[in-house]
Amino acid sequence: MTNRSKKSEQTVPCHACPVRKLNRFQPLPESQQAVVQQYRAGQTTIPAKQYLYREGELHGNIYTVFSGWIMLYKTLSNGGRQILRYVLPGDFIGFQADLQFPMNHSAQTLTDCTLCVFPRPNFLQMLQTNPELGLQIAWITARDMTLGQEYLVNIGRKNAKERLAFLFLELYQRLRLRNPKITDSIPFPMTQEDIADTLGLTLVHVNRTLRSLREEGLVNLSHHTLTILDYDQLSDITGFNNSTLATDQPLL
Amino acid sequence: MTNRSKKSEQTVPCHACPVRKLNRFQPLPESQQAVVQQYRAGQTTIPAKQYLYREGELHGNIYTVFSGWIMLYKTLSNGGRQILRYVLPGDFIGFQADLQFPMNHSAQTLTDCTLCVFPRPNFLQMLQTNPELGLQIAWITARDMTLGQEYLVNIGRKNAKERLAFLFLELYQRLRLRNPKITDSIPFPMTQEDIADTLGLTLVHVNRTLRSLREEGLVNLSHHTLTILDYDQLSDITGFNNSTLATDQPLL
DNA sequence: CGTAAAGTTGAATTCTTTCAAACACGGTGG
DNA sequence: CCACCGTGTTTGAAAGAATTCAACTTTACG
C-alpha cells in the first residue's frame, strides 16, 4: 500500500485561492488580554503556501492566528506526508514539548494569514512573569491533543466515506464555534491531495468517495467551497458528535 | 509495498542518540517534587483489566503510574475501538482539556498497577498554589501529543509491517529511556487484538504480519514477552527515529 | 490563450478484511 | 493428574476496500 504525495517545492505565492477572510477570531479573556498584549512582537501577514516553520528546523516563535488557515504535517522518509491538523483563526500554534529543539512537524499556510507573533524569549519571559498562563497553555494543548485523538479514531477505524464525513463536520463545527452565524457553506482551501494526506487515503480514492458523497446529496465541494447539504446524515455516517469539539475556547 | 530510502547509521540504541546529552531527560526539580508530594492522596494498587475511568464518565482524578501498564482508548458507535496510547511507569494520566466534563476516553489496566492518586480538588488547589506547575503540565501534555502525532503518521501512512515495527520500537525505547539497562526482551501484556486496535488493523492481519516478522527473524512475540531480534532492520522498515521519543521525561 | 496544477475516470493489482474453523495454553474443578 | 473451558492464537479461502498506473479533462491564473 502506501500512498504518497510528493510535495514539490512550491514557491509561488498563491493569492489564487478564492478563500477570503475567515471568521473573526475570538478575543482573548479580558483578564489576560493586557498581559499577553505586552509580549507580542506585532502582527505579520504571510501569503498562502508559505512555511511558518519546517520539520527539523529550529524555530522558537509562537503564534496566534488572526485570519487564514494553516496546516501542520509530518513527512516520511519515503516522501509521504501526514497532515496532523488544520489551524484556524483563533488557534495557537508553535508550542511543542521542547522549544529549544527542532520542530517535529511543519507548518504551512493554506491561505494568506495574519498572525500575532511571540518570539520565544518574550514567550518564555511572559510565562515566567505570569506563571498562571502555563495552565492556560496546558488546557489548550490538551484540547489540541483531543482533536488529534479524534483523528486517530477516524483514520484507524473508519472507512473512506466515514473519514471524509468526519473531516467536513469537524471543520464546519470548528468554524461555527467561532462564528455561530456561518451558513452551510464554508471556505475550503485544501486540495483533494491535502484531504488524502489528512485522512490516510490516496488522492484518487478521495476523489471517488467525494463523488459518491456528492451523488448522494450530502455535501458539495467545488471551487474551494464546501457546502454541507445534509448534516444529519453526515453525522450519522461518521458518528460525529458535537461534544467532540465542545471544549473549544478562546486562546491567547 | 513501499520502498523508502535507506536510513543507515541512526540505528544505534538510544543512549547513543546525540540529542540526549542535551538534558532532555529532566526530572521534575526537587523543589517541585516536594510540593507535588503534599497533594497526593496516597497510592493505590489496581489489578489487571480494571477500568481507571470510562469514556463518558465524570472522573476528576489525576494519576501518576508507579508500576504497571495502562491503555487509553476510545470506542466507536459500531463497537470498534481505537487504542490511543499505552501508559507506562512514570507517566501521567487523567488530565484532559476540561476536567469537569466527562472523560473523552477510557483507561484500562493491562497489568496490576500501582498508582499515585491526585483527587481533582487537590490537583486544582495544587495548581492554584503553585502556578508554575501549569507549564510543567503543558510540556507533558505536549509530549503526549507528539506521540499521538507519531501514531497518526503510523496509522495514516504506513502498511501493516511498518506499523507493527513502529509500535515495537516505540514501546521498547520508551522503556529503555526509563531504564537503560533493559535487555532486548520486554514485557508485552497486550493481546494481538489490542495491537490491532492500536494500529488500525484487524486481529487476523496482525497475526499474519507478526508471523512474517518472526519468519524474517526481526522480532519474537510470545507468552507476553517481546524480543527485539534485529533493531536496525526494524527501524529501517518503519523509519523509526530515536528523536521521536527523545523528549521523554519523568513526570509529576 | 497557454501552461501548470488540480480534478476525473477506468482497469488491474495489492493489501486488508471477513468468515469460518482449528489449535494452544492457562486455569479450574473433579 | 487429567478433562474441560474460555480466551487468545493460527490458518485457509473468498470477498472487499483502497491503491497503483495511466490517461484525460478542467480550472486557475500569468
Side-chain angles (χ1 to χ4, degrees):
Chain A
M1 82 160 235
T2 293
N3 354 335
R4 87 221 50 266
S5 37
K6 60 265 135 128
K7 256 260 114 276
S8 41
E9 295 318 303
Q10 37 35 268
T11 16
V12 194
C14 127
H15 39 305
C17 194
V19 178
R20 343 191 126 97
K21 280 283 143 58
L22 302 174
N23 316 288
R24 287 189 320 279
F25 102 118
Q26 272 181 274
L28 25 142
E30 292 214 4
S31 52
Q32 283 159 11
Q33 188 164 16
V35 169
V36 172
Q37 215 44 242
Q38 46 183 120
Y39 293 93
R40 292 176 43 184
Q43 256 174 245
T44 337
T45 297
I46 301 181
K49 305 203 175 176
Q50 296 296 111
Y51 287 100
L52 252 65
Y53 51 81
R54 297 176 80 151
E55 207 170 340
E57 189 180 293
L58 283 171
H59 181 95
N61 288 354
I62 309 281
Y63 306 90
T64 292
V65 181
F66 281 137
S67 70
W69 290 36
I70 295 164
M71 62 180 174
L72 308 185
Y73 63 88
K74 290 175 77 82
T75 47
L76 291 85
S77 41
N78 63 21
R81 179 180 68 151
Q82 174 66 48
I83 293 178
L84 304 171
R85 137 173 98 93
Y86 295 98
V87 179
L88 305 183
D91 283 345
F92 179 60
I93 180 183
F95 183 79
Q96 73 172 24
D98 194 330
L99 292 183
Q100 39 247 304
F101 279 86
M103 299 308 288
N104 57 33
H105 63 272
S106 304
Q108 195 177 8
T109 55
L110 284 160
T111 67
D112 297 351
C113 288
T114 304
L115 306 169
C116 164
V117 186
F118 296 84
R120 181 170 68 201
N122 295 28
F123 183 76
L124 293 176
Q125 205 201 329
M126 176 175 79
L127 282 164
Q128 209 156 16
T129 317
N130 308 90
E132 69 283 0
L133 285 176
L135 188 57
Q136 279 294 333
I137 295 181
W139 297 128
I140 291 168
T141 308
R143 193 203 51 184
D144 291 343
M145 184 169 67
T146 296
L147 179 59
Q149 293 176 339
E150 220 59 62
Y151 270 44
L152 222 38
V153 173
N154 199 41
I155 297 184
R157 282 286 171 256
K158 296 185 194 168
N159 64 32
K161 191 179 281 191
E162 294 165 336
R163 294 185 208 183
L164 264 297
F166 178 86
L167 179 63
F168 294 155
L169 294 183
E170 179 233 326
L171 292 168
Y172 175 69
Q173 284 299 155
R174 284 175 67 196
L175 291 180
R176 198 183 176 104
L177 280 168
R178 289 164 171 78
N179 175 11
K181 297 192 199 65
I182 64 167
T183 67
D184 292 340
S185 289
I186 62 171
F188 200 89
M190 298 86 89
T191 66
Q192 293 185 3
E193 185 169 24
D194 293 332
I195 299 178
D197 288 340
T198 306
L199 301 177
L201 300 168
T202 53
L203 176 171
V204 173
H205 197 50
V206 164
N207 184 286
R208 292 186 170 119
T209 309
L210 217 37
R211 175 174 61 173
S212 135
L213 286 172
R214 187 192 321 123
E215 288 172 352
E216 294 175 56
L218 302 181
V219 298
N220 194 289
L221 174 52
S222 60
H223 304 284
H224 293 293
T225 297
L226 172 74
T227 306
I228 306 288
L229 297 173
D230 191 335
Y231 183 99
D232 293 351
Q233 211 178 327
L234 282 173
S235 105
D236 216 44
I237 286 176
T238 197
F240 185 87
N241 181 338
N242 273 331
S243 72
T244 296
L245 304 172
T247 49
D248 199 79
Q249 63 180 94
L251 315 182
L252 287 186
Chain B
M1 193 38 198
T2 305
N3 296 318
R4 71 183 41 66
S5 49
K6 299 249 151 125
K7 35 183 51 250
S8 33
E9 41 270 283
Q10 51 27 291
T11 42
V12 191
C14 122
H15 50 290
C17 184
V19 290
R20 293 255 310 143
K21 61 166 71 129
L22 291 167
N23 185 30
R24 298 185 95 167
F25 192 83
Q26 28 182 264
L28 199 58
E30 296 223 355
S31 56
Q32 289 181 6
Q33 282 187 25
V35 167
V36 170
Q37 219 39 247
Q38 49 184 117
Y39 292 94
R40 294 174 40 184
Q43 257 176 245
T44 338
T45 297
I46 301 182
K49 306 203 176 178
Q50 297 295 111
Y51 287 100
L52 252 65
Y53 50 81
R54 299 176 78 151
E55 206 172 340
E57 189 180 291
L58 283 171
H59 181 93
N61 288 355
I62 309 282
Y63 306 90
T64 291
V65 181
F66 281 141
S67 70
W69 290 35
I70 296 164
M71 61 180 176
L72 308 185
Y73 63 86
K74 290 175 78 82
T75 47
L76 290 88
S77 41
N78 64 17
R81 178 179 70 151
Q82 174 65 48
I83 293 177
L84 305 171
R85 138 172 95 96
Y86 295 97
V87 179
L88 306 182
D91 283 346
F92 180 61
I93 181 184
F95 183 79
Q96 71 171 23
D98 195 328
L99 292 183
Q100 40 245 309
F101 277 87
M103 299 309 286
N104 57 35
H105 63 273
S106 304
Q108 193 173 9
T109 56
L110 285 160
T111 66
D112 297 352
C113 288
T114 305
L115 306 169
C116 163
V117 187
F118 296 84
R120 181 169 68 203
N122 295 28
F123 183 76
L124 292 176
Q125 206 201 328
M126 176 174 79
L127 282 165
Q128 208 156 16
T129 317
N130 309 88
E132 69 283 1
L133 285 176
L135 188 56
Q136 281 294 332
I137 295 182
W139 297 128
I140 291 168
T141 307
R143 193 203 52 182
D144 290 342
M145 185 168 67
T146 296
L147 179 59
Q149 292 176 341
E150 219 60 61
Y151 270 45
L152 222 38
V153 173
N154 198 42
I155 297 185
R157 282 287 171 257
K158 297 185 193 168
N159 64 30
K161 191 180 281 193
E162 295 164 337
R163 295 184 208 181
L164 264 297
F166 177 86
L167 179 63
F168 294 155
L169 294 183
E170 178 234 327
L171 292 169
Y172 174 69
Q173 286 297 157
R174 283 176 67 196
L175 291 180
R176 193 176 180 116
L177 280 168
R178 288 164 172 79
N179 175 12
K181 295 192 201 69
I182 63 168
T183 66
D184 292 340
S185 289
I186 63 171
F188 200 89
M190 298 86 91
T191 66
Q192 294 186 4
E193 186 169 21
D194 293 332
I195 299 178
D197 288 341
T198 307
L199 301 178
L201 300 168
T202 55
L203 176 169
V204 173
H205 198 51
V206 164
N207 183 286
R208 293 187 169 117
T209 308
L210 218 36
R211 176 174 61 172
S212 133
L213 286 172
R214 187 192 322 124
E215 288 172 352
E216 295 175 56
L218 302 180
V219 297
N220 193 288
L221 175 52
S222 60
H223 304 284
H224 293 293
T225 298
L226 172 74
T227 306
I228 306 288
L229 296 173
D230 191 335
Y231 184 98
D232 293 352
Q233 212 178 325
L234 282 173
S235 107
D236 212 47
I237 285 176
T238 197
F240 186 86
N241 181 336
N242 274 329
S243 72
T244 296
L245 304 172
T247 49
D248 200 79
Q249 63 178 100
L251 315 180
L252 291 185

